[in-house]
Amino acid sequence: MASTIIDSAIFQGIFSSDAMRAVWSDENRTQKYLDIEAALAKVQGQLGLIPQEAADEIISHCQLDQIDMAKLRQQTERIGYPILGVVSQLNLLCRDKLGEYCHWGATTQDITDTATVLQIREGLELVDAELAAISAALAKLCREHRDTPMIGRSNLQQAIPVTFGYKMAGLLSAVERHRERLAQLRPRVLVGEFAGAAGTLASLQTGAMDTQAALCAELGLAQPVIAWHTIRDNIAEVGAFLGLVGGTLGKLSMDVKLMMQTEVGEVFEPYAHGRGSSSTMPQKRNPISSCYIHAAISVVRQHAAALMDAMVADHERSTGPWEIEWIVLPEAFCLMAGALRQSRLVLEGLEVDVAAMRRNIDMTHGLVMSEAVMMGLGPYIGREYAHDLVYDICRAAVKEQRPLLDLLCEHPEINKHLDRPALAALCDPSNYLGQSGVMVDRVLDSLTQ
C-alpha cells in the first residue's frame, strides 16, 4: 500500500523515475549492505584476519534472495537498525558457525554510511545523465534561436529586446556549472566508512588500516582520512547540490509558465492529447510539467536544509541527526529525478512561437526601445537630459496612443539632430540586441565535452 507521491502507483512516474526509485529501494539498500559485508569478508580473508573458509562462506550468502525481508522488517522494528538483522540472518545462513566472522570489526554506521554512499553514487550517475540531456536540449534551442528577438522583462514589465537563444543560454550556463559541481563533489563524497564504534578502529588490533583501504578499494570508493560518523558535510553537500540544480529547474519552469500565459503565448510545453487540459474548460492548455517541477524542487530545497540540520551531530555517534538523512536523502533524489525528467520533456519538445515573440515586442508601439533612443540622443543632448526628454515623450505616446517613432520625429529638440530613418533605426529591436549573440556563442563554446 503506497502512501507517498513517490511510491504512488498513480503519481510515481510524474514525480520521480523508476530508475531512481530503484536506487533508493529497500531491495537495493539491503543488497548494498550485503555487498559491503561480502567485500569486508573478502579483504579480511585475504589479509588473514579471518579464516578464508569463513570469508568464502559469508560471501556465498550475501545475496538478496537469501534474506527474509519480512523477518528483517521485524528485526529492524525491534532493534532500531537493519544492519544487525542482516548480520544475524547471514550468521544463521552460514555453516559451522563461520558466520561469526561476518561484520568483523565493523559497526552499524560503517555499513549504513557506506551503503548510502554507494546509493548516492548510483543516484548521481542518473542525475548526471539527465543534466547532460538537458544541456543538449538547451544547446539546440540556443543554436536555433541565437538571433530570435523577444522582449526581455524586468519586474514582470517589458524592458528591452533580448533573444530567445540568449534566454536559453543563461539556463545552459547554469546547467553546465552544475555538471562541473557534480564532477568536483564526487571525490569528496564518494568515500567509504569503516571505523568501528567511535571511529578509532580499536576493534581491530592488527590490519585495521589495511582493511579499511582494501574495503574501500574493493567497493570503488576513496579511503577516508578520518572517520566521518558525525562529520556530515559530505552528505549535506549532496543535498545542497540537488537544491542548486532544483533552483535552476525552477527558474526554467517559472519562465515557461509565464511565457505560456494566454496573453503572452511565446512558448508552449510539448503537446499531447488531453495533457494539461481542464475538467471544465476545454480550451485550457496548462503548463503541467512546469507545475510538477515547481512542486518537486520546492520540497528538495527544504530537504537540503534538513541535511544541513543533520550536520549538527552530538559527539562521536549522534542521537537523532543521523536519521534525518534516512528520511530526506532518498526523497530528495527521487523528487529531483522527477523534476529532471519533466524539465527534459519540456525542453526537448518545447514549442517556440517566434511570431508571438515579435508581436509582444511590438505591442507597445516602440516604447521598449526608449533606452536605445536615449542612448542614441545622448551624444547630442546629454544622456541625463535625453532620459528625461524621452521619458516625457513615452508618457505622451501612452496617453495619445501613438507610436513612439512619430512623436520622436515631431520633437524639435530631436529632429534637428536625427532624421526619421535614423530614429527608425534606433527604434528597430533587431538593432538593439547588444551582445546577445556573442554571449550565446561563448556559452556554446564552453560546453562540457
Side-chain angles (χ1 to χ4, degrees), residues 24 111-121 235 325 329:
W24 297 97
I111 308 304
T112 305
D113 280 350
T114 303
T116 296
V117 170
L118 293 174
Q119 289 174 285
I120 287 173
R121 181 169 67 186
I235 305 299
E325 297 174 1
L329 193 62

Side-chain angles (χ1 to χ4, degrees), residues 40-333:
L40 179 60
K42 177 181 178 180
V43 301
Q44 288 182 327
Q46 292 171 343
L47 292 169
L49 299 179
I50 65 173
Q52 187 61 50
E53 183 184 17
D56 294 339
E57 180 68 12
I58 292 165
I59 292 169
S60 72
H61 295 292
C62 287
Q63 302 297 328
L64 185 64
D65 59 8
Q66 298 192 45
I67 297 297
D68 184 334
M69 295 298 284
K71 181 180 179 181
L72 181 58
R73 172 184 172 176
Q74 295 171 353
Q75 291 171 309
T76 302
E77 290 175 353
R78 176 173 54 84
I79 299 165
Y81 307 100
I83 302 303
L84 184 54
V86 170
V87 173
S88 296
Q89 290 196 41
L90 284 175
N91 195 354
L92 291 173
L93 288 166
C94 293
R95 61 179 174 81
D96 303 328
K97 295 187 177 182
L98 292 174
E100 294 290 345
Y101 288 102
C102 179
H103 200 67
W104 197 256
T107 193
T108 288
Q109 192 165 353
D110 291 337
I111 308 304
T112 305
D113 280 350
T114 303
T116 296
V117 170
L118 293 174
Q119 289 174 285
I120 287 173
R121 181 169 67 186
E122 292 179 354
L124 290 178
E125 287 172 358
L126 295 177
V127 171
D128 198 11
E130 286 296 290
L131 286 175
I134 288 170
S135 176
L138 283 167
K140 183 173 183 288
L141 289 169
C142 288
R143 295 186 182 98
E144 291 175 353
H145 297 283
R146 178 187 185 274
D147 301 314
T148 301
M150 68 173 295
I151 194 64
R153 296 175 173 92
S154 170
N155 292 310
L156 293 178
Q157 305 297 303
Q158 291 204 355
I160 64 171
V162 296
T163 70
F164 186 61
Y166 167 83
K167 193 177 190 71
M168 294 297 98
L171 289 166
L172 176 57
S173 69
V175 169
E176 286 299 299
R177 286 191 294 275
H178 294 320
R179 296 179 71 190
E180 182 179 2
R181 289 183 181 102
L182 179 49
Q184 291 169 346
L185 71 81
R186 278 189 166 114
R188 293 190 292 270
V189 171
L190 301 183
V191 177
E193 178 82 290
F194 180 74
T200 63
L201 271 177
S203 53
L204 294 181
Q205 293 300 310
T206 59
M209 301 310 290
D210 291 336
T211 298
Q212 186 188 74
L215 174 63
C216 291
E218 181 70 20
L219 296 170
L221 301 175
Q223 181 181 7
V225 175
I226 191 170
W228 49 276
H229 287 149
T230 51
I231 309 297
R232 312 301 290 185
D233 59 289
N234 51 348
I235 305 299
E237 182 176 8
V238 174
F241 166 73
L242 295 178
L244 287 170
V245 172
T248 297
L249 302 184
K251 160 65 176 170
L252 164 67
S253 70
M254 180 65 75
D255 280 359
V256 170
K257 284 186 289 184
L258 293 172
M259 288 189 286
M260 275 188 69
Q261 290 182 104
T262 306
E263 296 83 357
V264 179
E266 293 173 342
V267 304
F268 296 92
E269 291 184 0
Y271 175 77
H273 181 72
R275 183 171 179 81
S277 61
S278 165
S279 61
T280 58
M281 295 169 283
Q283 87 281 5
K284 293 292 293 296
R285 185 175 175 181
N286 292 320
I288 199 70
S289 288
S290 294
C291 294
Y292 295 144
I293 295 165
H294 189 131
I297 62 97
S298 296
V299 177
V300 171
R301 286 203 303 275
Q302 304 310 310
H303 285 350
L307 291 171
M308 300 283 180
D309 273 348
M311 293 177 66
V312 188
D314 46 296
H315 297 305
E316 282 62 57
R317 296 285 292 278
S318 68
T319 314
W322 184 39
E323 285 78 359
I324 294 172
E325 297 174 1
W326 302 9
I327 299 168
V328 302
L329 193 62
E331 189 164 291
F333 266 98

Side-chain angles (χ1 to χ4, degrees), residues 22-37:
V23 168
W24 297 97
S25 66
D26 287 338
E27 292 77 10
N28 192 47
R29 181 185 300 107
T30 305
Q31 185 59 62
K32 292 290 183 287
Y33 298 155
L34 295 168
D35 291 343
I36 298 162
E37 295 290 359

Side-chain angles (χ1 to χ4, degrees), residues 386-408:
H387 174 278
D388 294 342
L389 180 60
V390 174
Y391 178 90
D392 291 337
I393 295 173
C394 286
R395 301 287 75 72
V398 171
K399 184 177 181 180
E400 298 174 22
Q401 291 291 296
R402 296 179 61 199
L404 177 64
L405 177 60
D406 289 349
L407 272 70
L408 292 172

